[in-house]
Amino acid sequence: QQTQSGVDTTNGIDTGVSDQIASDVLSSGSYTTNQVVIYTAKNLNIQPNSDKTTVTNYINIMFQNSQQMAERDKQNGNEIDIINNAILNQDQKEITKLDPIIASYQTLLSNMLKVPVPAEVTTLHLEFVNSVSNVLSDLQAIRGTFIDPVKSLAAINTYKQNYIDMSLAIQKLQTYAQMKLKSFGK
């Protein structure tokens, strides 16, 4: 392969072979796909009823966890800014700022698996848990940007949609909570 000045820049490497290797790596779903844990209802702490006490307890725990995440976000910074700064500046130290954010998502996920879930909200809660799991998996892969940039790039591509899905799941749970609290007269 020659540049515009006619200089061979391949150093004798067959670019057809290297292009094929790159294509094979990128087309390998097992390589570029994050290993996300998918949870089912069996993983949740489902309560057999949805009475006022169970639902109110659930709403209170969800509210406490959302406050904790908001506080952690203030302390740890915005993950998008961290990722952008690390990549733009090629700064491996910057990407380590994701560590406390990843830890907070791990804590949130653990808490969401333990919370007593009213039976009537199982589907919505499961949607939220799996969206948190997806975002967590993406962030863990992105954390490896300077170790495995190809896998990280694949995670960056799915992160935005997974984050949107998590936000939508949160909105659905907030709507559920508002409707239930109205029905309880609060």
Side-chain angles (χ1 to χ4, degrees), residues 1-144:
Q1 200 171 26
Q2 293 184 346
T3 63
Q4 288 180 345
S5 63
V7 177
D8 182 358
T9 59
T10 62
N11 295 327
I13 297 172
D14 181 349
T15 55
V17 171
S18 62
D19 288 348
Q20 184 61 47
I21 291 169
S23 176
D24 290 347
V25 167
L26 293 174
S27 67
S28 170
S30 62
Y31 178 72
T32 57
T33 303
N34 288 334
Q35 300 304 313
V36 179
V37 177
I38 305 295
Y39 295 95
T40 67
K42 292 178 184 177
N43 301 112
L44 303 178
N45 180 11
I46 300 171
Q47 302 304 298
N49 59 31
S50 299
D51 63 3
K52 182 178 179 178
T53 303
T54 305
V55 171
T56 304
N57 182 46
Y58 173 76
I59 292 170
N60 288 336
I61 291 171
M62 294 298 286
F63 181 72
Q64 289 169 354
N65 277 278
S66 68
Q67 283 185 315
Q68 288 173 354
M69 280 299 285
E71 284 299 315
R72 288 184 193 129
D73 286 351
K74 285 181 190 174
Q75 293 171 353
N76 300 327
N78 179 302
E79 57 246 44
I80 298 297
D81 291 339
I82 293 168
I83 294 164
N84 286 337
N85 288 336
I87 292 171
L88 290 173
N89 298 318
Q90 289 297 299
D91 185 353
Q92 292 184 22
K93 289 181 183 176
E94 182 73 17
I95 204 77
T96 64
K97 292 180 181 178
L98 285 178
D99 292 346
I101 294 169
I102 290 169
S104 69
Y105 275 105
Q106 289 170 326
T107 300
L108 176 64
L109 182 59
S110 176
N111 290 346
M112 293 302 98
L113 292 170
K114 294 174 190 168
V115 65
V117 179
E120 69 184 14
V121 76
T122 300
T123 302
L124 290 178
H125 189 81
L126 193 57
E127 182 181 334
F128 176 61
V129 164
N130 281 313
S131 66
V132 170
S133 178
N134 289 338
V135 168
L136 174 60
S137 177
D138 289 339
L139 288 175
Q140 289 169 327
I142 293 167
R143 170 62 174 85

